[in-house]
Amino acid sequence: MAFKIASSPHLTQHNQTHTVMQRVLLCALPGVAVQCYFFGFGSLIQIILAISVALLCEAAVLFLRKRAIKSTLNDNSAMLTALLLAISIPPLAPWWVIVIGTCFAIGIVKHLYGGLGQNIFNPAMAAYVMLLIAFPVQMTTWVAPNSIALHPVGLLQSIQYIFTHMPQASIDSYQLGVDGISMATPLDTVKTSLSSGLTMQESLQNRIFADGLPVGWLWINLAYLVGGLAMLKLKLIRWQISVGVLCSLFILSSIGFILNPDSHLGPLVHLFSGATMLSAFFIATDPVTAATSLKGRLLFGALIGILVYVIRTFGGYPDAFAFAVLLANLCAPFIDYYVKPRAYGHRISH
């Protein structure tokens, strides 16, 4: 039997990296389809643009590093990074936002550390945070879901908004047709309402919510949940990280809601708003930047859930998964060091 030495991701199955990445991409399709249904063709345009830029950027970097281009591009890792970043940003963000973010994710976060298996941060989330800090207006302006918008965004309008400059009046009509006010996400709407002195019940009366749950985002999260369960079924990911994320977020949000329902969101809103299911199954489970041991993965996921709740509730950013994942990436080596599997017949000493 040959003993193969390779860098991460270390896969327990006999599938090659490109096969695993391809299956993850396929499992994300239900969520992408539902997201495009509620937010229009903008998300699809961002995905196509991001994947094109990612492949070109990776080829250029590989050429400069004098590495094999075709075999590396075929591992589909750049495509997955581009997809995760594209579906995380607002659908009608200007084209240069996704171009800058994708180049940063591939050229800096991934290849500056040596390429696939060597990066210490999740490339898509690192790029998202960079874009959020550098371009806060473009990164926090979402359109209203098509089901409640007075002017749903069509294909031609999406292309015009992404690649050209639109008058501000036209932009406002697409951002939120319900009341003509630009918006971000349901989580941001609640945070803004609470800071204005409204109670939680009053905040949930906004038309972006229906029966206390976010319009559109509920179904998007359910679709990514289906894709995540499919990945678990196919053994593409381990269950510990996803369970750690969702359970810790559910427990903390339940405690906060019970103690003070007037200023804390309920657990269902936390679980089915923003990027919760996408992050719990498709982002936090990245085998390169996550903890590796069984207990370590549970702690890693729980840490992300705790950080998300703390930042959402007490921080300035409504959806905190990108920051939580990056902070957990920093802690992953320490978690693996202190939560080692006990060697048979030996006592672990620190």
Side-chain angles (χ1 to χ4, degrees):
M1 176 181 291
F3 181 74
K4 183 180 179 181
I5 299 177
S7 63
S8 56
H10 304 294
L11 306 174
T12 57
Q13 294 179 304
H14 295 294
N15 295 327
Q16 295 181 335
T17 301
H18 72 89
T19 302
V20 174
M21 298 292 179
Q22 184 181 67
R23 292 180 178 178
V24 173
L25 287 166
L26 292 174
C27 289
L29 289 182
V32 172
V34 176
Q35 187 166 332
C36 291
Y37 173 79
F38 279 102
F39 292 108
F41 292 97
S43 296
L44 184 59
I45 296 172
Q46 300 286 1
I47 292 171
I48 295 173
L49 186 58
I51 290 176
S52 301
V53 173
L55 295 177
L56 290 173
C57 183
E58 179 141 284
V61 174
L62 290 170
F63 176 78
L64 294 175
R65 296 181 61 198
K66 299 180 180 179
R67 299 293 181 89
I69 296 178
K70 184 177 180 180
S71 60
T72 304
L73 291 180
N74 286 338
D75 66 13
N76 296 322
S77 61
M79 291 181 61
L80 181 58
T81 296
L83 174 72
L84 294 177
L85 179 60
I87 59 182
S88 299
I89 71 171
L92 299 185
W95 64 269
W96 45 265
V97 171
I98 192 63
V99 169
I100 293 173
T102 304
C103 290
F104 181 81
I106 301 298
I108 304 298
V109 185
K110 181 179 179 181
H111 281 284
L112 189 64
Y113 290 93
L116 180 64
Q118 308 299 323
N119 50 287
I120 61 175
F121 296 108
N122 184 289
M125 292 300 95
Y128 179 89
V129 169
M130 183 277 294
L131 292 174
L132 186 61
I133 294 173
F135 312 110
V137 175
Q138 290 80 6
M139 287 294 291
T140 55
T141 304
W142 284 74
V143 296
N146 287 335
S147 57
I148 62 172
L150 292 179
H151 305 286
V153 185
L155 176 60
L156 293 179
Q157 291 89 348
S158 298
I159 295 174
Q160 183 182 6
Y161 188 17
I162 292 172
F163 292 102
T164 65
H165 177 71
M166 274 184 110
Q168 187 62 40
S170 299
I171 294 174
D172 288 340
S173 68
Y174 289 122
Q175 285 171 347
L176 186 57
V178 257
D179 57 9
I181 302 173
S182 62
M183 59 166 289
T185 63
L187 291 172
D188 185 64
T189 301
V190 169
K191 185 173 287 291
T192 302
S193 299
L194 291 176
S195 64
S196 302
L198 300 179
T199 65
M200 183 60 66
Q201 291 300 320
E202 292 172 333
S203 302
L204 295 179
Q205 297 304 311
N206 191 299
R207 285 189 60 185
I208 195 63
F209 293 95
D211 298 324
L213 294 174
V215 174
W217 293 96
L218 168 65
W219 296 104
I220 292 171
N221 276 275
L222 285 173
Y224 284 119
L225 173 60
V226 171
L229 294 177
M231 288 199 297
L232 288 172
K233 178 67 175 179
L234 295 172
K235 298 183 179 179
L236 300 175
I237 59 174
R238 303 289 186 88
W239 61 268
Q240 291 90 353
I241 293 178
S242 301
V243 169
V245 171
L246 298 179
C247 285
S248 60
L249 182 57
F250 177 81
I251 292 171
L252 288 179
S253 58
S254 298
I255 294 174
F257 184 73
I258 292 172
L259 294 178
N260 192 353
D262 289 334
S263 60
H264 288 76
L265 283 169
L268 290 181
V269 181
H270 273 285
L271 292 178
F272 295 102
S273 295
T276 301
M277 295 300 170
L278 172 66
S279 299
F281 290 97
F282 291 89
I283 295 174
T285 54
D286 175 17
V288 176
T289 57
T292 56
S293 64
L294 190 150
K295 292 182 180 179
R297 287 193 293 268
L298 281 171
L299 288 175
F300 180 84
L303 176 61
I304 292 176
I306 293 170
L307 290 171
V308 167
Y309 178 76
V310 170
I311 298 174
R312 280 183 176 180
T313 305
F314 306 105
Y317 292 98
D319 196 357
F321 265 100
F323 293 96
V325 169
L326 294 183
L327 290 172
N329 291 160
L330 281 175
C331 299
F334 299 98
I335 294 175
D336 282 334
Y337 179 79
Y338 287 104
V339 189
K340 296 178 181 177
R342 187 172 183 270
Y344 181 75
H346 295 274
R347 182 177 301 172
I348 295 178
S349 59
H350 299 295

